[in-house]
């Protein structure tokens, strides 16, 4: 084989390895984002006083977008005051 062809094949293999590493990093970041979103939702739900019906409405909303305090307010959630959460300790 020609030297040029060997160099091209070597470059191709190197780029394939880079692609695998990048895909692994992408998957890791996507997983971390999902975990962070789940943790935020969990914290919002814990800090809000919601009924099972309100929680169900919130879960329906979360299918389309990450819930936020405004979304919790829409379903009628009432957040515990900062003093209330500290008094439980």
């Amino acid at each position: 084989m020609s030297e040029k062809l060997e160099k091209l094949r070597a470059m191709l293999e190197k780029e394939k390895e880079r692609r695998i590493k990048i895909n692994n990093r992408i998957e890791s970041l996507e997983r971390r984002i999902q975990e962070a979103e789940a943790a935020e939702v969990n914290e919002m739900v814990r800090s809000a006083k919601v009924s099972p019906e309100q929680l169900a409405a919130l879960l329906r909303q979360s299918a389309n977008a990450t819930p936020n305090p405004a979304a919790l307010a829409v379903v009628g959630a009432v957040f515990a005051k900062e003093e209330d959460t500290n008094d439980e300790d």
Side-chain angles (χ1 to χ4, degrees), residues 43 46-47 79-89:
E43 183 58 34
R46 284 182 176 211
S47 66
F79 285 90
K81 292 182 180 172
E82 197 65 34
E83 306 90 49
D84 292 345
T85 57
N86 290 337
D87 290 343
E88 293 175 5
D89 293 338

Side-chain angles (χ1 to χ4, degrees), residues 2-38:
S2 71
E3 186 176 323
K4 182 178 180 180
L5 188 55
E6 287 178 24
K7 284 183 180 180
L8 287 172
R9 286 194 172 132
M11 286 174 52
L12 176 62
E13 285 305 310
K14 185 176 178 181
E15 293 303 318
K16 284 182 178 180
E17 290 174 13
R18 284 186 56 212
R19 180 176 59 188
I20 291 169
K21 289 178 183 179
I22 289 172
N23 286 340
N24 289 340
R25 279 195 299 218
I26 289 170
E27 289 175 11
S28 175
L29 287 170
E30 288 173 339
R31 216 175 12 257
R32 289 174 57 192
I33 288 169
Q34 287 176 340
E35 290 170 0
E37 286 176 342

Side-chain angles (χ1 to χ4, degrees), residues 39-51:
E40 285 185 14
V41 169
N42 188 9
E43 183 58 34
M44 280 190 284
V45 170
R46 284 182 176 211
S47 66
K49 297 177 182 176
V50 293
S51 69

Side-chain angles (χ1 to χ4, degrees), residues 62-78:
S62 69
N64 299 325
T66 302
N68 55 45
L72 285 169
V74 168
V75 297
V78 178

